[in-house]
Amino acid sequence: KSPLAPMALYRVAFNAERFFDFDKAVRSYLLLVDRYNESGDRENSLLRAAVIQENLQDYERAAATFVRFSNEYSNSEQALESAYQAVRIYEKMGDFNRQVRAFNDFRARFGNDPRATPMVLEGLDKIATHYYKERRDMRRARKAYQDVVNESISRGVSPGSVNARYPAKASFFMAEIDFVDWDKIQLRGKLKAQEQALKRKLEGAQKLRARYEAVYEYLSLEWTMAAGYRQANIKQRFATALYDADVPFPEDSEEYFMYKVQLEDIAVPLEDEAVEDYEAVIRQAREKRIVNEWTKKVLNELNKYKPVEYPLFHEEKTALTEETLTPLSPLTPAIINGDDPGVDEQGTGGGGLGDEDIDE
């Protein structure tokens, strides 16, 4: 009942954390939270407990504690980030259903806050990516990626901004879904069937290249590289389809050789254009000092045509861009150097986590 008891308990928790007894630290922080509602250290203790639980990979309890913090301290500057941290934790756990529920709860409570824009877009992107990569459910993936684009428009995301990477990625992968179907079109069967397939192949290529070109408008370097790769790759894949086409004439006949020559007359210039386009992508990547998944794909293709100029064993220097980095959570705990962030020189309770408590 002593008025000094909350401060003493906070000292116990803080020193346990300082000396790496994290289980005791969590127990003590949460005991203070549950026992002393009026303590000035209560808010800080609840948040520190959540951060430690996550670092201990006690994800179930960490997610619950972050949500509890966002509910009990909804006016705190950390409330928004705490609510979204639960989304990230459920993703780590591989619990997609709870990840979606936590995201929907976050969006309902904080979605109108301008600070929530990157989190809302990231959350929508995570859902779309899950459908695309994990479930291979292209119908839901397309709808989810379209949600990212629509949300970006409604929030006024400007080209070239950090957040522009989300609609750029979404636009790219919506085109990728259709690219897979287009790439399956092969020139098979009799002449009439091949003429129809060739027409669909040509029309589809024109539409796809236009859609990938639209990705450039977002001015997101990573996805500009991706779109550039795929635009060149469409020409290359088209040429490959022509080389692999059935010849609907008897082998060794004059028609057989004429048909092969006609196909090659179309394929060779396409392949040459693809190589030129690949080289244009690499030039831009080197000017911007970018190395990522897409530039490596470009180099792999160029190596097939010009192995001396584009050797695969040469690793280009990587320059990380903001488009390829995952934002660090502001709830990342600081390395404690002996300073007590929760108690001032007079021994009174501190407030929430300040700059000295978190790694911005």
Side-chain angles (χ1 to χ4, degrees), residues 18-91:
R18 181 181 178 185
F19 291 102
F20 311 108
D21 189 349
F22 297 117
D23 290 330
K24 182 177 181 179
V26 169
R27 289 196 305 271
S28 301
Y29 280 135
L30 293 180
L31 181 61
L32 185 151
V33 169
D34 293 334
R35 182 175 292 179
Y36 300 107
N37 291 330
E38 303 303 320
S39 171
D41 295 310
R42 187 177 186 275
E43 177 181 343
N44 195 26
S45 296
L46 185 57
L47 190 54
R48 293 184 82 87
V51 170
I52 296 171
Q53 286 172 329
E54 183 179 3
N55 288 337
L56 292 174
Q57 298 184 7
D58 188 357
Y59 293 138
E60 190 79 36
R61 290 187 176 87
T65 305
F66 276 123
V67 171
R68 178 182 179 184
F69 179 90
S70 70
N71 287 328
E72 295 188 17
Y73 294 98
S74 58
N75 294 325
S76 167
E77 292 184 1
Q78 302 288 352
L80 181 147
E81 179 67 31
S82 294
Y84 189 73
Q85 196 68 8
V87 178
R88 295 187 176 117
I89 290 173
Y90 287 129
E91 182 187 22

Side-chain angles (χ1 to χ4, degrees), residues 151-200:
E151 191 71 22
S152 299
I153 294 172
S154 68
R155 289 176 177 269
V157 173
S158 58
S161 65
V162 174
N163 292 326
R165 68 182 182 269
Y166 295 113
K169 176 184 176 182
S171 297
F172 176 82
F173 277 107
M174 283 192 288
E176 285 286 273
I177 292 171
D178 292 332
F179 169 82
V180 172
D181 292 333
W182 173 86
D183 199 39
K184 292 177 182 177
I185 300 174
Q186 299 296 320
L187 306 183
R188 298 285 183 261
K190 296 182 179 180
L191 186 60
K192 186 67 174 178
Q194 290 196 37
E195 288 176 353
Q196 294 174 349
L198 183 59
K199 182 180 179 182
R200 287 189 290 121

Side-chain angles (χ1 to χ4, degrees), residues 88-266:
R88 295 187 176 117
I89 290 173
Y90 287 129
E91 182 187 22
K92 290 181 184 179
M93 294 171 64
D95 193 332
F96 180 69
N97 291 333
R98 283 203 286 180
Q99 176 187 339
V100 172
R101 285 198 296 270
F103 173 71
N104 289 336
D105 176 67
F106 164 82
R107 194 176 181 186
R109 294 171 57 201
F110 299 102
N112 292 329
D113 190 324
R115 296 176 302 160
T117 291
M119 300 173 201
V120 170
L121 293 176
E122 180 187 86
L124 291 172
D125 170 73
K126 289 178 182 295
I127 292 170
T129 300
H130 177 85
Y131 284 129
Y132 183 88
K133 290 188 175 180
E134 302 300 327
R135 298 195 180 185
R136 306 302 299 168
D137 186 336
M138 297 302 125
R139 182 184 64 82
R140 288 185 175 180
R142 187 194 301 276
K143 181 181 182 302
Y145 279 128
Q146 186 61 57
D147 288 342
V148 175
V149 173
N150 294 342
E151 191 71 22
S152 299
I153 294 172
S154 68
R155 289 176 177 269
V157 173
S158 58
S161 65
V162 174
N163 292 326
R165 68 182 182 269
Y166 295 113
K169 176 184 176 182
S171 297
F172 176 82
F173 277 107
M174 283 192 288
E176 285 286 273
I177 292 171
D178 292 332
F179 169 82
V180 172
D181 292 333
W182 173 86
D183 199 39
K184 292 177 182 177
I185 300 174
Q186 299 296 320
L187 306 183
R188 298 285 183 261
K190 296 182 179 180
L191 186 60
K192 186 67 174 178
Q194 290 196 37
E195 288 176 353
Q196 294 174 349
L198 183 59
K199 182 180 179 182
R200 287 189 290 121
K201 195 80 172 174
L202 178 59
E203 292 176 350
Q206 292 171 340
K207 292 178 180 178
L208 279 172
R209 282 180 54 81
R211 290 178 60 187
Y212 286 113
E213 187 170 350
V215 175
Y216 299 156
E217 297 175 4
Y218 293 102
L219 304 180
S220 174
L221 288 176
E222 179 177 4
W223 299 105
T224 294
M225 296 295 104
Y229 160 76
R230 187 59 82 192
Q231 281 197 307
N233 185 246
I234 287 172
K235 292 180 179 181
Q236 183 186 15
R237 295 298 299 161
F238 203 152
T240 299
L242 292 168
Y243 289 135
D244 294 341
D246 289 343
V247 180
F249 299 103
E251 199 168 343
D252 295 332
S253 68
E254 184 178 352
E255 291 87 350
Y256 179 93
F257 290 108
M258 288 181 62
Y259 193 76
K260 290 286 287 185
V261 169
Q262 288 176 339
L263 291 177
E264 289 178 2
D265 285 345
I266 303 172

Side-chain angles (χ1 to χ4, degrees), residues 318-338:
T318 302
L320 294 178
T321 66
E322 64 184 6
E323 284 80 8
T324 62
L325 293 175
T326 301
L328 288 176
S329 165
L331 296 177
T332 305
I335 298 175
I336 299 174
N337 296 317

